Amino acid sequence: MDDCCGRGQARYGDVFDERFAGDLERRYRRRGLTRAERRVADQVEGSGVAGTSVLEVGGGIGAIQLELLGHGATRSTNLELSAAYEDRARALLDEAGRAADVRRIVGIDLAIDGADVPVADHVVLHRVVCCYPDAVRLLAASAAHARRTVVFSHPPRTWVTRAFVGMANLMMRMRGEEYRGYVHSPVAMYDALRRAGFTIDSVARAGWWRIASAHRA
């Protein structure tokens, strides 16, 4: 698992640091969106992106937002708990001429402090719930901020993924790091959106990830 976010700036900044952000930027410049990022963007575009707004939770360097802005979205807000992405994200926005269309906010946890976060037509969470301790609460907050759609990725809950994440958590614990990864129940996450008035449209596979798309019923 590569780029996730979660609770606590210091905790997640230690893992998703300047070096990590640099690796993401270099890969994006060379190859564009990853397969999973492309699938997330396609799901949003399929629901109608022209003239709409986007809220991305844990958007990193902003690759998905740039894609959606390029396909007609008019504005985007990005929430991040690690400040390591900001310089690189700003550089990409400046180069694309879209800096005025994006608001980047560091230090707000949507599930806890989301009252001042603007509502958007589409809410995107890519590689995020896998690193957040309470995915149900986070998705409920995301749904409350979405007028039309919520698109998010998650790992499948299999013995392989659980063993992988468990081993990674053990290694981080041995190094004295506080960050932890999670493999949440997909059923519980989908039900959180259903309780918020959303219908699950599809769950697509993109390599390691499952991409779930839901619209407000």
Side-chain angles (χ1 to χ4, degrees):
M1 295 185 188
D2 35 13
D3 180 24
C4 310
C5 87
R7 184 168 54 88
Q9 278 182 272
R11 177 184 306 177
Y12 292 89
D14 288 343
V15 177
F16 307 114
D17 56 12
E18 292 282 351
R19 179 177 179 181
F20 184 80
D23 290 342
L24 290 182
E25 181 194 17
R26 285 187 289 274
R27 189 209 175 281
Y28 175 64
R29 289 184 180 280
R30 289 195 306 266
R31 300 172 61 184
L33 297 183
T34 66
R35 179 181 176 188
E37 289 168 343
R38 167 58 56 192
R39 182 58 67 93
V40 170
D42 286 347
Q43 292 296 327
V44 177
E45 291 169 17
S47 65
V49 72
T52 66
S53 58
V54 177
L55 168 62
E56 185 167 11
V57 182
I61 60 170
I64 293 175
Q65 294 163 71
L66 283 171
E67 182 73 12
L68 296 176
L69 288 167
H71 283 79
T74 57
R75 61 188 182 280
S76 178
T77 300
N78 182 86
L79 301 184
E80 237 351 304
L81 288 178
S82 171
Y85 301 105
E86 296 310 295
D87 289 345
R88 298 176 187 278
R90 287 295 177 190
L92 290 170
L93 286 170
D94 288 341
E95 291 171 22
R98 304 306 298 257
D101 302 320
V102 176
R103 179 186 179 193
R104 294 187 61 89
I105 303 172
V106 177
I108 288 184
D109 183 330
L110 185 67
I112 298 173
D113 304 312
D116 295 328
V117 176
V119 172
D121 296 304
H122 309 286
V123 176
V124 174
L125 307 91
H126 178 43
R127 301 172 300 190
V128 171
V129 298
C130 57
C131 307
Y132 196 84
D134 191 345
V136 167
R137 183 176 181 181
L138 179 59
L139 286 169
S142 298
H145 283 77
R147 296 189 190 95
R148 292 170 54 175
T149 64
V150 174
V151 179
F152 75 100
S153 63
H154 66 84
R157 189 175 171 85
T158 66
W159 71 266
V160 175
T161 56
R162 295 174 75 177
F164 176 86
V165 172
M167 182 62 67
N169 286 343
L170 177 60
M171 292 175 64
M172 286 181 284
R173 185 178 296 112
M174 292 174 65
R175 293 197 297 263
E177 297 176 0
E178 295 183 32
Y179 169 83
R180 299 292 181 267
Y182 303 88
V183 184
H184 297 292
S185 163
V187 172
M189 291 189 289
Y190 303 159
D191 283 347
L193 292 179
R194 292 188 180 103
R195 287 194 298 272
F198 282 74
T199 297
I200 306 298
D201 298 313
S202 65
V203 180
R205 184 171 182 170
W208 169 275
W209 301 96
R210 302 296 183 266
I211 313 299
S213 177
H215 75 274
R216 188 173 289 281

